[in-house]
């Protein structure tokens, strides 16, 4: 397995491990964090299975799934999660998802997490396009993706089936040369 390790100013990214169940459950098991996600809060067992599945997928060749723990940069405390999934039919393109522990929202960490996963995808994986789909009502995700340089592309009607019915998505994307060029100017 290729071990991912990325260090940013406010956050790091590394591979998830079975020891991360409680930290990831603090996100995926929290009703506030899953309010705009297309599933109900997960149980610790479900989070554990998700980690096991991701670790199996990490061994696939070519690798298409990266489930990464977002950590404090210097003490490895897990405070968030980022997921990058390369499309099988369009391997230049990947979808991202992210989540942070709710008590840490509103401090700019979400924006940093988007920047970190985009930088990883473009610089290390050499992807060309990275996109994310959010609920139309998810304002923090909208702002985090916009501030991190992801352009709003439009609305995909009935994109996901949630426990309460079909839900539209607003898709954001970044293109490698545009995004890397803009980052270089900052
Ligand atoms: C999306 C998420 C990662 C954003 O994290 P965050 O740390 O709060 O993001 P930031 O602090 O960088 O905030 C991003 C922007 O949203 C604004 N914001 C944050 N919370 C807000 C709220 N409740 N209402 C309105 N604006 C809000 C911030 O002010 C900031 O804008 P600014 O840069 O202009 O000041 C976080 O809300 C989360 O984990 N949500 C649950 C999972 C989820 O929805 N994931 C996204 C799926 S697409």
């Amino acid at each position: 397995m290729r071990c991912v390790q990325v260090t940013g100013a406010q956050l790091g990214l590394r591979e998830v491990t079975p020891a991360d169940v409680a930290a990831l459950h603090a996100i995926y098991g929290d009703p506030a964090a899953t309010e705009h996600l297309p599933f109900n809060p997960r149980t610790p067992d479900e989070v554990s299975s998700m980690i096991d599945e991701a670790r199996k997928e990490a061994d696939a060749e070519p690798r298409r799934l990266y489930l990464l723990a977002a950590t404090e940069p210097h003490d490895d405390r897990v405070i968030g999660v980022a997921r990058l999934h390369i499309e099988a039919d369009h391997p230049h393109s990947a979808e991202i998802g992210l989540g942070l522990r709710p008590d840490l929202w509103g401090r700019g960490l979400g924006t940093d997490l988007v920047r970190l996963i985009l930088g990883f995808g473009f610089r290390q994986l050499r992807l060309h396009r990275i996109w994310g789909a959010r609920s139309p009502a998810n304002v923090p995700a909208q702002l985090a993706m916009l501030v991190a340089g992801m352009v709003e592309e439009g609305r995909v009607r009935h994109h996901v089936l949630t426990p309460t019915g079909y839900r539209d998505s607003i898709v954001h994307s970044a293109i490698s040369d545009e995004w890397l060029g803009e980052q270089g100017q900052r």
Side-chain angles (χ1 to χ4, degrees):
M1 180 169 105
R2 191 180 139 195
C3 278
V4 172
Q5 184 92 47
V6 181
T7 307
Q10 296 194 70
L11 292 170
L13 287 178
R14 62 151 173 80
E15 303 284 353
V16 291
T17 76
D20 297 328
V21 171
L24 263 54
H25 183 252
I27 302 161
Y28 287 131
D30 186 295
T34 55
E35 181 187 353
H36 298 296
L37 302 183
F39 50 81
N40 286 323
R42 308 261 200 225
T43 64
D45 281 350
E46 287 171 332
V47 173
S48 176
S49 302
M50 183 191 297
I51 291 174
D52 289 347
E53 194 52 39
R55 287 173 65 80
K56 269 188 219 135
E57 292 262 357
D59 289 328
E61 195 53 58
R63 180 173 180 182
R64 293 202 293 117
L65 180 70
Y66 294 81
L67 185 67
L68 304 174
T71 62
E72 304 267 22
H74 303 298
D75 71 359
D76 198 51
R77 209 160 52 98
V78 175
I79 57 171
V81 61
R83 186 176 184 278
L84 182 150
H85 191 238
I86 298 172
E87 295 177 52
D89 292 342
H90 305 286
H92 67 282
S93 172
E95 180 182 11
I96 55 166
L98 66 148
L100 277 175
R101 231 175 52 206
D103 59 303
L104 298 171
W105 291 354
R107 303 179 189 182
L109 292 173
T111 304
D112 265 16
L113 184 52
V114 177
R115 284 202 188 101
L116 211 53
I117 192 80
L118 291 177
F120 168 67
F122 289 140
R123 293 192 183 96
Q124 298 196 30
L125 301 180
R126 302 271 169 202
L127 292 165
H128 182 67
R129 166 186 161 82
I130 299 179
W131 61 280
R134 64 167 173 90
S135 153
N138 194 344
V139 174
Q142 174 186 30
L143 293 172
M145 288 195 279
L146 286 175
V147 175
M150 296 183 82
V151 174
E152 212 167 275
E153 284 189 335
R155 191 174 193 111
V156 182
R157 296 188 304 152
H158 289 202
H159 181 219
V160 288
L161 180 58
T162 76
T164 55
Y166 291 105
R167 194 210 75 198
D168 294 358
S169 287
I170 307 295
V171 172
H172 293 242
S173 72
I175 302 296
S176 167
D177 43 359
E178 281 175 12
W179 190 82
L180 289 170
E182 276 175 25
Q183 297 302 300
Q185 285 163 17
R186 281 182 193 159

